[in-house]
Amino acid sequence: MLVPASTAPSATPNMPPHKRRKPDGKDKAVQCNSPEDSLSPATNSQSSVRSGRTRGRKGRTSRLRAERRIKGLEGDSCKVESAIIKDQEYLDFLAWLKNMGCPRTKLTLAEFSNTGRGMMATKNIKAGEVIVQVPERNLVTMKTLQSIYGARIARYDAFFVSSFGKKVNSHMIIALHIALLVQSPEKSGWLPYLRLLPKKFDTMPVRYPPELLELLPQNAQAHVRKQREKIMADYQCTMDFLHSNNDLLARPLEYEEYEWAWLVVNTRCIYLDAKKQVAADNIALAPMLDFLNHTHDAKTEGFFCTKTKSYQIKTLLPYKKGEQVFINYGPHDNCFILVEYGFVTPDNPYNYVTVDNDFAQLSIPGETAVAKREKMELLDMAGYFNDYVLHRNDVSFRLLVGMRLRLINPFHKSSVATQMAISQWHNVVNGELDQISAENEQQVPVHLERLCDAMLADAKRTLAILARKKTTFPVMHLQQVWIEARDIVLSIIDKIQRKETL
Ligand SMILES: C[S@@+](CC[C@H](N)C(=O)[O-])C[C@H]1O[C@@H](n2cnc3c(N)ncnc32)[C@H](O)[C@@H]1O
């Protein structure tokens, strides 16, 4: 879901300064002829890897340069290229919007070399201006769908509440609605919008082939598994619903069709109330607004205006004519953005590395298997099991908590000395004590560095595998997240070696 709220600190729209090339390696701005062409959400990383053919056998300088490009760090001299999209499909969409009562905007659809298709300012836009207004009748929400499907949804909702104790989720119903519109596009009245929707979602990890999926960081793999389970569960419920509402279908609804519609909702819907980030009755598909791309430093406000009866986005930053206008989907790291939206952004300040597996696998001298299991149980009971992360400049408190406990050795739960150490550990966790013991505290950075070394080896191994793969957008996205992970780990190792406070 997109959260067009003002979350970002900086006042500069993100215009990463270099080119993307299409996967065929052609070095020119991409002309968008069809939604399929425009579908490949790209980071500015993409050109370089294409053209740079980043391989292990390249020299160090060339490899580092390619990596700098992947991360969006290279070449302030390289301008973002853009091409306005004015094909018949877009003109039909504009006519459709006008018909639906959408006011004209200072935005037009364009293809950008750094992000793929997005919205360009056709005139200068001042800070505080409303950039998009979507009339209520053009929003696809649970409320509007109730007026279309009425009693059908109410009946199913009642069945759902009685069977599962919860209401039908709006993500599932909006996805079904989109899938039904696509089955009979001419009849739907929404054809001009439907024609502009992405044709496929191949850059979404949930669509990755297994050999790429296993190259995602562990936490992202878990995120994808949950997403897949959710899509499958929603498909099952949808099939249940259709069982008694078969007349809605023009043909049987295949899983792939439903998955596509579900991903349309996932990547394009907004929360009407950004403070209430739960889907129930709070999400909406808002044609036109959903062509705005994300950057972490966009500052916007999204709200429903009761006077104009429309959902509006106000930018708090100015834009110059010709620039891409962005919204901010929320304060997310690149792994999250990749799994939820299928792209990554350069210089994302929210990036972090999860080291749960490395923590579990870390061997501590003198720690028996029984002691390790008991410590994990203790961590679980205290609410500190897993979610151990490294940021660029620090490690999470949870990881320090876990490491201090792991470093209580010898550890015999029945012994008085161990019980005393555990009680001191609790006091450190609660902030009543600074350390369990001087020795325990000294050991923390030593073993954190060992953990970082393991993570670093993981990152290097995965990058080496990726460097041997054919360059595609998913491969480049994976390269970027692993380079970022590696660099975060390196910066923590550096801090440890400089004996800085973590
Ligand atoms: C709400 S849509 C935005 C419009 C979309 N680019 C289009 O052409 O229809 C969200 C999708 O846009 C793409 N996207 C958004 N922000 C992006 C960015 N900064 N870089 C690359 N792709 C981006 C991703 O594919 C994402 O799933």
Side-chain angles (χ1 to χ4, degrees):
M1 297 313 145
L2 321 180
V3 188
S6 59
T7 42
S10 147
T12 329
N14 184 10
M15 297 287 286
H18 66 277
K19 294 180 192 177
R20 166 169 70 93
R21 285 170 195 164
K22 292 279 281 176
D24 60 14
K26 291 201 181 86
D27 182 11
K28 54 181 170 181
V30 185
Q31 294 295 328
C32 173
N33 299 319
S34 71
E36 202 164 343
D37 276 351
S38 69
L39 258 200
S40 320
T43 64
N44 41 359
S45 61
Q46 294 175 344
S47 60
S48 51
V49 187
R50 296 270 154 247
S51 54
R53 310 232 191 316
T54 325
R55 291 286 188 268
R57 68 185 104 88
K58 280 252 170 192
R60 187 169 181 273
T61 313
S62 147
R63 180 169 52 78
L64 289 178
R65 197 176 301 135
E67 287 184 4
R68 280 172 61 77
R69 290 200 202 106
I70 286 178
K71 289 187 292 180
L73 300 173
E74 178 110 317
D76 284 343
S77 56
C78 261
K79 282 251 160 34
V80 174
E81 294 190 12
S82 56
I84 289 178
I85 300 168
K86 264 242 154 70
D87 54 16
Q88 196 51 49
E89 284 179 354
Y90 185 59
L91 296 176
D92 291 348
F93 176 61
L94 287 181
W96 179 79
L97 285 176
K98 194 171 165 204
N99 239 347
M100 302 287 263
C102 287
R104 280 177 68 102
T105 67
K106 289 185 183 175
L107 304 178
T108 193
L109 200 64
E111 188 71 21
F112 295 88
S113 52
N114 55 344
T115 62
R117 194 174 64 173
M119 298 305 273
M120 178 195 279
T122 53
K123 294 184 178 147
N124 289 347
I125 296 175
K126 290 198 222 67
E129 267 190 60
V130 169
I131 50 172
V132 196
Q133 286 186 52
V134 185
E136 194 171 19
R137 81 184 80 89
N138 238 20
L139 293 173
V140 182
T141 62
M142 218 34 190
K143 202 166 137 201
T144 55
L145 295 187
Q146 257 142 6
S147 67
I148 301 175
Y149 302 106
R152 296 174 190 258
I153 294 187
R155 263 199 309 276
Y156 191 62
D157 216 13
F159 157 78
F160 214 75
V161 172
S162 65
S163 314
F164 305 106
K166 55 180 183 189
K167 282 167 78 72
V168 170
N169 78 70
S170 30
H171 192 143
M172 174 191 131
I173 299 288
I174 298 177
L176 170 63
H177 176 66
I178 297 295
L180 293 176
L181 292 184
V182 169
Q183 286 204 346
S184 314
E186 273 82 17
K187 271 203 314 204
S188 73
W190 280 61
L191 183 60
Y193 174 66
L194 298 175
R195 279 205 313 220
L196 287 184
L197 289 177
K199 293 277 183 288
K200 356 177 233 202
F201 284 99
D202 289 352
T203 63
M204 297 284 294
V206 76
R207 303 274 313 149
Y208 280 8
E211 65 277 12
L212 275 193
L213 199 56
E214 66 186 24
L215 296 178
L216 272 172
Q218 295 284 335
N219 58 320
Q221 284 188 39
H223 187 167
V224 175
R225 276 195 297 275
K226 267 196 174 162
Q227 192 183 65
R228 180 166 294 144
E229 281 162 17
K230 178 122 192 20
I231 303 173
M232 283 175 163
D234 283 358
Y235 178 65
Q236 281 314 323
C237 290
T238 302
M239 295 312 279
D240 262 9
F241 170 76
L242 289 172
H243 192 67
S244 44
N245 293 283
N246 222 355
D247 55 307
L248 292 172
L249 289 170
R251 55 170 191 274
L253 181 66
E254 300 296 335
Y255 178 76
E256 297 257 309
E257 272 178 88
Y258 183 78
E259 184 192 51
W260 173 86
W262 196 97
L263 292 174
V264 166
V265 174
N266 205 59
T267 55
R268 308 183 81 85
C269 267
I270 51 162
Y271 284 115
L272 288 168
D273 179 352
K275 286 188 213 94
K276 205 173 89 190
Q277 289 184 21
V278 283
D281 296 348
N282 188 26
I283 63 168
L285 199 55
M288 178 69 181
L289 188 166
D290 64 345
F291 288 101
L292 286 160
N293 283 333
H294 161 86
T295 173
H296 62 259
D297 48 16
K299 267 186 159 247
T300 52
E301 269 174 19
F303 55 95
F304 188 81
C305 173
T306 42
K307 202 164 137 209
T308 57
K309 288 207 176 344
S310 62
Y311 187 83
Q312 305 190 348
I313 298 273
K314 185 197 274 181
T315 174
L316 305 182
L317 302 176
Y319 287 93
K320 288 209 183 77
K321 178 180 172 178
E323 281 183 341
Q324 178 165 190
V325 176
F326 291 97
I327 56 173
N328 187 331
Y329 298 176
H332 305 305
D333 71 293
N334 272 346
C335 278
F336 182 95
I337 291 181
L338 181 57
V339 177
E340 291 293 330
Y341 305 108
F343 70 98
V344 285
T345 67
D347 302 327
N348 186 336
Y350 301 105
N351 286 342
Y352 62 87
V353 175
T354 302
V355 291
D356 293 353
N357 283 356
D358 303 278
F359 180 80
Q361 280 158 23
L362 191 67
S363 73
I364 307 268
E367 186 185 56
T368 64
V370 175
K372 183 171 164 185
R373 182 176 42 75
E374 287 175 347
K375 288 174 190 175
M376 294 302 189
E377 284 165 7
L378 262 174
L379 283 170
D380 201 17
M381 281 191 302
Y384 282 94
F385 182 66
N386 276 347
D387 280 341
Y388 304 128
V389 303
L390 310 176
H391 300 278
R392 185 166 284 281
N393 290 315
D394 54 44
V395 309
S396 66
F397 179 67
R398 299 178 68 81
L399 178 54
L400 292 175
V401 164
M403 195 56 97
R404 286 180 180 127
L405 185 65
R406 292 286 304 275
L407 293 171
I408 299 178
N409 284 309
F411 188 93
H412 302 291
K413 244 179 138 184
S414 53
S415 85
V416 176
T418 298
Q419 282 304 323
M420 272 183 64
I422 292 175
S423 137
Q424 271 164 318
W425 172 75
H426 277 296
N427 289 338
V428 174
V429 174
N430 297 334
E432 288 160 23
L433 257 186
D434 284 342
Q435 55 184 40
I436 297 171
S437 68
E439 197 206 336
N440 180 283
E441 205 59 23
Q442 269 164 16
Q443 289 294 304
V444 170
V446 174
H447 291 277
L448 276 179
E449 189 172 348
R450 290 180 57 232
L451 184 141
C452 285
D453 286 342
M455 182 67 203
L456 190 59
D458 229 21
K460 287 185 177 167
R461 200 171 35 245
T462 313
L463 281 167
I465 297 173
L466 286 165
R468 288 192 294 273
K469 291 209 175 285
K470 184 167 168 265
T471 308
T472 58
F473 287 152
V475 167
M476 288 186 288
H477 293 159
L478 284 168
Q479 282 175 317
Q480 184 167 334
V481 295
W482 279 106
I483 288 169
E484 288 164 348
R486 183 200 63 191
D487 290 353
I488 288 174
V489 174
L490 282 172
S491 89
I492 294 297
I493 293 178
D494 188 51
K495 277 181 94 69
I496 293 173
Q497 290 177 348
R498 287 169 189 270
K499 303 200 182 320
E500 289 178 21
T501 319
L502 292 167

